[in-house]
Amino acid sequence: MDTNAMKSQNLNRKMMRCVCVLPVRASVVWATFVANTLTAEEPKSIEQKAPELARITQWINSKPLALKDLRGKVVVLHFWTFGCINCQHNLSYYNRWQTDFAKDDMQIIGVHTPETAGEADEKHVRTRVGELGIKYPVAVDNESATWKAYKNRYWPSIYLIDKQGHIRYRWDGELEYQDSGGDKSMRARIKALLAEAAKP
């Protein structure tokens, strides 16, 4: 075996040992770190049909909703979990949007997708929704079916869906992390989508 092959094999063994001793939550910590450091000057533009909400196990603050029944409205769909501090930092902005756009054809839906086993307890989710003062509908996605349908990767992530049911914009991470201007940018996109005519 040549020296390079031996070095490569030793490196692979060391990497495997590191992977084996890392705690299970390491991936969660990494995902949180990435989401916490994501900043963008503008929301990401997208043009694709919004996947339907899938296998929701519970609805809080609402009867069950389906995106197909919300055609003609702008939908703000955000993925979160109550134990994620970055998600909690965004909640006040959603609540303000809920108030400021109350007379408009806009619907906010929070898709609660757990990061840990404790966050999958539906009674605990309902309690935390009340404690956090969330007034808009929350879909409990304990099977991560909707998360997977959107190919979502981060807590928090926000999707703006137009009146025809197409995802038009996405924002990953905190709206105002390092003064990134997400609140202003997303508000402007919501207003622009509300101004568009609803097509039959």
Side-chain angles (χ1 to χ4, degrees):
M1 183 178 286
D2 67 35
T3 308
N4 287 336
M6 288 177 64
K7 285 180 183 175
S8 177
Q9 190 175 34
N10 287 337
L11 180 61
N12 286 340
R13 277 196 213 108
K14 286 179 184 174
M15 288 174 66
M16 285 304 292
R17 278 197 296 269
C18 288
V19 169
C20 292
V21 298
L22 283 174
V24 173
R25 286 193 49 94
S27 61
V28 171
V29 170
W30 174 249
T32 302
F33 170 78
V34 171
N36 197 22
T37 56
L38 281 171
T39 58
E41 292 180 3
E42 294 297 330
K44 295 172 185 71
S45 287
I46 303 172
E47 183 65 51
Q48 69 182 55
K49 187 170 187 215
E52 191 53 78
L53 304 172
R55 298 205 299 275
I56 299 303
T57 55
Q58 179 184 174
W59 282 90
I60 302 171
N61 296 333
S62 174
K63 62 179 185 177
L65 299 173
L67 294 182
K68 64 182 175 60
D69 298 328
L70 296 173
R71 295 290 188 271
K73 289 183 180 264
V74 172
V75 177
V76 177
L77 189 77
H78 74 88
F79 288 91
W80 73 294
T81 186
F82 67 72
C84 164
I85 192 64
N86 310 102
C87 299
Q88 291 177 32
H89 289 167
N90 276 359
L91 293 177
S92 62
Y93 296 103
Y94 309 142
N95 283 334
R96 283 200 287 275
W97 296 352
Q98 177 78 7
T99 300
D100 295 347
F101 295 106
K103 295 180 181 176
D104 297 303
D105 287 325
M106 188 208 59
Q107 177 67 64
I108 299 176
I109 300 173
V111 181
H112 186 275
T113 309
E115 189 175 10
T116 66
E119 292 165 350
D121 182 326
E122 293 185 4
K123 288 182 182 174
H124 202 176
V125 175
R126 185 174 288 280
T127 299
R128 291 297 288 140
V129 165
E131 290 171 350
L132 292 165
I134 299 170
K135 304 294 183 198
Y136 52 81
V138 172
V140 179
D141 182 28
N142 274 350
E143 296 179 32
S144 301
T146 300
W147 172 283
K148 290 171 186 171
Y150 277 76
K151 297 183 172 70
N152 197 58
R153 296 172 57 202
Y154 306 109
W155 293 272
S157 284
I158 309 160
Y159 296 80
L160 298 186
I161 301 169
D162 69 17
K163 295 176 182 180
Q164 283 67 247
H166 291 88
I167 300 171
R168 297 280 292 280
Y169 302 101
R170 188 183 89 226
W171 183 280
D172 295 321
E174 288 188 28
L175 285 159
E176 290 301 333
Y177 182 76
Q178 295 184 343
D179 299 319
S180 52
D183 178 42
K184 182 178 178 183
S185 292
M186 292 297 268
R187 277 177 176 271
R189 298 314 186 281
I190 291 168
K191 288 177 182 175
L193 293 178
L194 285 168
E196 291 181 355
K199 297 173 187 172

